Amino acid sequence: MMTVPHQLTENPVPETLHERYTRVRQASLGLVVPLEAEDMVIQSMPDASPTRWHLAHVTWFFEHFLLSKQVEFKPYREGWDFLFNSYYYSVGDMYKRPVRGLLSRPTVAEVFEYRAHVDELMSELTEGSKGDPEFEFLVTLGLNHEQQHQELILTDIKHAFSLNPLKPAYQNDLAASEIAESALVFSEFPGGIVEIGTAGGTSGQPFCFDNETPRHRVLLNPFKLASRQVTNAEFKAFIEDDGYQRNELWLSDGWATIQNEQWQRPIYWSQDLDSEFSLLGEIELDPNRSVCHMSYFEADAYARWAGARLPTEAEWEHVAAQHAISGNLSDTQLFHPGGSDSSTEVSQLYGDTWEWTRSAYSAYPGFKPLSGSLGEYNGKFMCSQLVLRGGSCVTPADHIRATYRNFFYPASRWQFSGIRLAMNF
Ligand SMILES: [Fe+2]
């Protein structure tokens, strides 16, 4: 049986800003229901954060960037700006990210109280909103920011649980049905001068992050794009062909990384390549599901071994813009990659796994970061990272779009990131 794809449906009555605020904030609380307080305070590595920190940090975002602008504002607690600021240097100093797991206070219960306090004040503002575009943009930015952290909550707790010898499951009731095999075919695209990116974000346009702007022209040479993501079975064949032992397949930095880190297989795969750790605990490796938790280095080496390459972000977006946002996104609540349900058309563009592109994360021509401290949100990270596209099984469906640019360092592999192949012709 195939996974049921999520299809966004037109809402006959548009959601109000207040309704959206309530829904997104509630969704974060829903995600942590399966967790115990002990789960929410640990930090498994410097790149990951404790669940409690995520819950507090997204709340701080509303407190700092919206509530603090109100007359008679008083910080909820002295010192929490320092604890829950992430990387906004123009706001002030911050507690070091690699050691967020060392804090036992504030407690998880205190963070829930903090959320309730901020929600009460934010509800007064959103219910009384008179449609001020700047206010609505900031609230929407805060909600999109919270959705990014919802994905990180699941991604980070998966990593923490994977290190526990008891292999705890985040949830047990996942409908991990068997996925049918789907042929890999390549569709041809003629290329030419096309437009990518968006002009949106303010003035009544649909929300976007500043790094998606402006819309601009690019030249695409003719290219082929794979009909689906690379599967576990295909990646297993790469391993069995000594893929991790053959330096000619790897970028220089990738080869150095796998030597230093002693990587022999994907991060959550068992040594016998028969099972993988997931949010359901340890499960059998399904050959037809998308391979996940790839670093860029592994994705690139696989593509070279397969006689192909990774797509550019412009190629990916040009194709994705012609497809509806439909797929195994977090709304299915599977929280695990599925497989393709089509052997003829390009499928899985949205959901299952983020897809590495070969494009460096950089500014589009004419890019202007947001003004003030929020200008630190995206632009300052435009160095040494690669772009990923399409969202994953832990990305909310109303958070992703064709123009969305995610970005990570090439050695990062704890994210739900996978591979789609492309070729020249
Ligand atoms: Fe953040």
Side-chain angles (χ1 to χ4, degrees):
M1 193 179 110
M2 307 298 294
T3 53
V4 181
H6 175 89
Q7 175 73 55
L8 283 181
T9 51
E10 282 296 318
N11 190 343
V13 182
E15 203 177 28
T16 66
L17 186 68
H18 177 65
E19 287 167 342
R20 180 142 199 260
Y21 178 87
T22 306
R23 175 173 61 80
V24 173
R25 294 283 288 168
Q26 197 59 40
S28 302
L29 296 181
L31 279 183
V32 305
V33 167
L35 301 179
E36 303 293 340
E38 290 84 347
D39 301 325
M40 290 195 248
V41 299
I42 58 171
Q43 179 175 24
S44 56
M45 63 167 169
D47 280 339
S49 293
T51 307
R52 174 196 46 189
W53 186 87
H54 286 300
L55 291 173
H57 162 69
V58 292
T59 305
W60 168 82
F61 193 96
F62 287 108
E63 185 185 27
H64 182 83
F65 291 110
L66 279 141
L67 297 181
S68 71
K69 308 291 184 285
Q70 302 298 305
V71 185
E72 297 181 9
F73 167 76
K74 271 181 48 195
Y76 181 69
R77 291 285 185 273
E78 291 300 331
W80 285 24
D81 249 353
F82 178 72
L83 287 185
F84 299 128
N85 178 4
S86 53
Y87 53 66
Y88 299 92
Y89 291 104
S90 56
V91 168
D93 269 351
M94 63 212 70
Y95 189 72
K96 288 189 176 62
R97 183 172 73 161
V99 289
R100 286 171 184 160
L102 295 181
L103 301 173
S104 61
R105 305 296 173 95
T107 64
V108 170
E110 286 170 328
V111 166
F112 282 132
E113 287 165 16
Y114 177 41
R115 288 184 65 93
H117 168 80
V118 167
D119 284 347
E120 195 179 326
L121 296 178
M122 281 299 302
S123 288
E124 285 173 21
L125 295 180
T126 53
E127 278 178 319
S129 171
K130 300 280 192 299
D132 172 11
E134 190 182 342
F135 171 76
E136 299 215 345
F137 175 77
L138 285 176
V139 175
T140 306
L141 178 65
L143 295 175
N144 277 271
H145 171 250
E146 180 136 356
Q147 289 181 311
Q148 292 180 317
H149 281 272
Q150 288 168 0
E151 174 155 357
L152 290 172
I153 285 172
L154 293 170
T155 306
D156 292 355
I157 201 67
K158 179 172 180 177
H159 187 262
F161 280 177
S162 77
L163 301 179
N164 187 322
L166 299 178
K167 301 290 178 194
Y170 166 79
Q171 62 180 16
N172 295 302
D173 56 352
L174 184 67
S177 50
E178 238 174 62
I179 301 287
E181 190 173 349
S182 171
L184 180 69
V185 296
F186 284 82
S187 298
E188 295 184 356
F189 296 88
I193 296 175
V194 304
E195 290 196 345
I196 66 166
T198 175
T202 53
S203 308
Q205 299 286 324
F207 174 81
C208 69
F209 287 108
D210 56 4
N211 63 5
E212 299 167 60
T213 67
R215 190 159 176 82
H216 62 282
R217 291 176 300 166
V218 295
L219 174 62
L220 297 183
N221 287 311
F223 66 99
K224 294 183 192 178
L225 195 67
S227 56
R228 58 163 171 75
Q229 298 175 347
V230 170
T231 64
N232 286 328
E234 289 165 339
F235 198 81
K236 192 171 177 179
F238 165 79
I239 299 173
E240 290 171 344
D241 195 32
D242 295 329
Y244 281 86
Q245 282 77 46
R246 294 165 52 185
N247 66 71
E248 74 272 19
L249 296 174
W250 295 80
L251 292 168
S252 175
D253 286 355
W255 184 247
T257 299
I258 67 168
Q259 300 305 303
N260 291 339
E261 303 295 329
Q262 297 288 299
W263 290 353
Q264 303 284 329
R265 55 189 175 277
I267 181 172
Y268 295 133
W269 284 26
S270 62
Q271 196 166 356
D272 61 10
L273 311 184
D274 285 339
S275 65
E276 64 174 327
F277 185 73
S278 73
L279 286 168
L280 296 104
E282 193 77 12
I283 59 172
E284 199 177 317
L285 195 71
D286 184 329
N288 299 318
R289 287 180 191 274
S290 298
V291 68
C292 193
H293 300 291
M294 294 280 100
S295 64
Y296 177 79
F297 294 137
E298 288 162 304
D300 175 84
Y302 176 86
R304 190 166 293 106
W305 173 81
R309 62 171 173 82
L310 300 177
T312 66
E313 66 170 322
E315 289 168 340
W316 189 97
E317 182 174 324
H318 176 60
V319 177
Q322 301 162 37
H323 287 75
I325 300 172
S326 171
N328 176 24
L329 292 143
S330 71
D331 304 53
T332 64
Q333 302 203 344
L334 295 173
F335 304 141
H336 193 64
S340 172
D341 57 4
S342 169
S343 57
T344 52
E345 302 216 340
V346 178
S347 63
Q348 291 184 291
L349 285 161
Y350 299 102
D352 292 313
T353 69
W354 288 96
E355 298 176 10
W356 283 107
T357 73
R358 63 186 307 169
S359 298
Y361 178 52
S362 183
Y364 284 164
F367 166 68
K368 287 193 186 69
L370 292 173
S371 59
S373 296
L374 288 170
E376 294 190 62
Y377 199 115
N378 284 310
K380 71 182 186 181
F381 299 109
M382 290 174 172
C383 177
S384 306
Q385 307 202 51
L386 281 304
V387 173
L388 301 96
R389 295 298 198 114
S392 77
C393 55
V394 290
T395 307
D398 67 340
H399 182 69
I400 194 68
R401 54 196 161 267
T403 58
Y404 194 107
R405 307 174 80 200
N406 195 0
F407 49 93
F408 276 97
Y409 292 100
S412 300
R413 63 176 192 164
W414 92 110
Q415 295 292 315
F416 285 77
S417 42
I419 312 171
R420 179 185 300 274
L421 299 178
M423 285 189 203
N424 304 327
F425 77 94

PDB file of all heavy atoms in Angstrom, residues 57 86-87 145 149, ligand 1:
ATOM      1  N   HIS A  57      12.564  29.339  22.370  1.00  0.00           N
ATOM      2  CA  HIS A  57      13.161  30.261  21.399  1.00  0.00           C
ATOM      3  C   HIS A  57      12.112  30.821  20.429  1.00  0.00           C
ATOM      4  O   HIS A  57      12.098  32.029  20.161  1.00  0.00           O
ATOM      5  CB  HIS A  57      14.266  29.524  20.631  1.00  0.00           C
ATOM      6  CG  HIS A  57      14.679  30.168  19.358  1.00  0.00           C
ATOM      7  ND1 HIS A  57      15.363  31.362  19.303  1.00  0.00           N
ATOM      8  CD2 HIS A  57      14.475  29.795  18.055  1.00  0.00           C
ATOM      9  CE1 HIS A  57      15.579  31.689  18.033  1.00  0.00           C
ATOM     10  NE2 HIS A  57      15.046  30.758  17.260  1.00  0.00           N
ATOM     11  N   SER A  86      19.000  33.186  19.419  1.00  0.00           N
ATOM     12  CA  SER A  86      19.781  32.156  18.739  1.00  0.00           C
ATOM     13  C   SER A  86      21.050  32.725  18.131  1.00  0.00           C
ATOM     14  O   SER A  86      22.159  32.364  18.530  1.00  0.00           O
ATOM     15  CB  SER A  86      18.944  31.493  17.656  1.00  0.00           C
ATOM     16  OG  SER A  86      18.396  32.485  16.795  1.00  0.00           O
ATOM     17  N   TYR A  87      20.885  33.642  17.154  1.00  0.00           N
ATOM     18  CA  TYR A  87      22.070  34.162  16.456  1.00  0.00           C
ATOM     19  C   TYR A  87      21.921  35.628  16.064  1.00  0.00           C
ATOM     20  O   TYR A  87      22.598  36.089  15.156  1.00  0.00           O
ATOM     21  CB  TYR A  87      22.386  33.309  15.223  1.00  0.00           C
ATOM     22  CG  TYR A  87      21.236  33.091  14.256  1.00  0.00           C
ATOM     23  CD1 TYR A  87      20.688  34.144  13.522  1.00  0.00           C
ATOM     24  CD2 TYR A  87      20.724  31.811  14.036  1.00  0.00           C
ATOM     25  CE1 TYR A  87      19.657  33.938  12.618  1.00  0.00           C
ATOM     26  CE2 TYR A  87      19.688  31.591  13.146  1.00  0.00           C
ATOM     27  CZ  TYR A  87      19.160  32.655  12.432  1.00  0.00           C
ATOM     28  OH  TYR A  87      18.139  32.448  11.541  1.00  0.00           O
ATOM     29  N   HIS A 145       8.818  30.905  11.098  1.00  0.00           N
ATOM     30  CA  HIS A 145       9.986  30.567  11.913  1.00  0.00           C
ATOM     31  C   HIS A 145       9.653  29.410  12.857  1.00  0.00           C
ATOM     32  O   HIS A 145      10.416  28.452  12.988  1.00  0.00           O
ATOM     33  CB  HIS A 145      10.409  31.818  12.703  1.00  0.00           C
ATOM     34  CG  HIS A 145      11.456  31.567  13.728  1.00  0.00           C
ATOM     35  ND1 HIS A 145      11.187  31.613  15.075  1.00  0.00           N
ATOM     36  CD2 HIS A 145      12.768  31.249  13.607  1.00  0.00           C
ATOM     37  CE1 HIS A 145      12.307  31.354  15.735  1.00  0.00           C
ATOM     38  NE2 HIS A 145      13.272  31.137  14.880  1.00  0.00           N
ATOM     39  N   HIS A 149      11.179  25.452  13.233  1.00  0.00           N
ATOM     40  CA  HIS A 149      11.613  24.786  14.467  1.00  0.00           C
ATOM     41  C   HIS A 149      10.776  23.545  14.779  1.00  0.00           C
ATOM     42  O   HIS A 149      11.263  22.641  15.463  1.00  0.00           O
ATOM     43  CB  HIS A 149      11.609  25.773  15.629  1.00  0.00           C
ATOM     44  CG  HIS A 149      12.816  26.657  15.611  1.00  0.00           C
ATOM     45  ND1 HIS A 149      14.001  26.315  16.215  1.00  0.00           N
ATOM     46  CD2 HIS A 149      13.031  27.848  15.009  1.00  0.00           C
ATOM     47  CE1 HIS A 149      14.891  27.277  16.011  1.00  0.00           C
ATOM     48  NE2 HIS A 149      14.328  28.219  15.279  1.00  0.00           N
TER      49      HIS A 149
HETATM   50 FE    FE B   1      15.214  30.240  15.133  1.00  0.00          FE
END
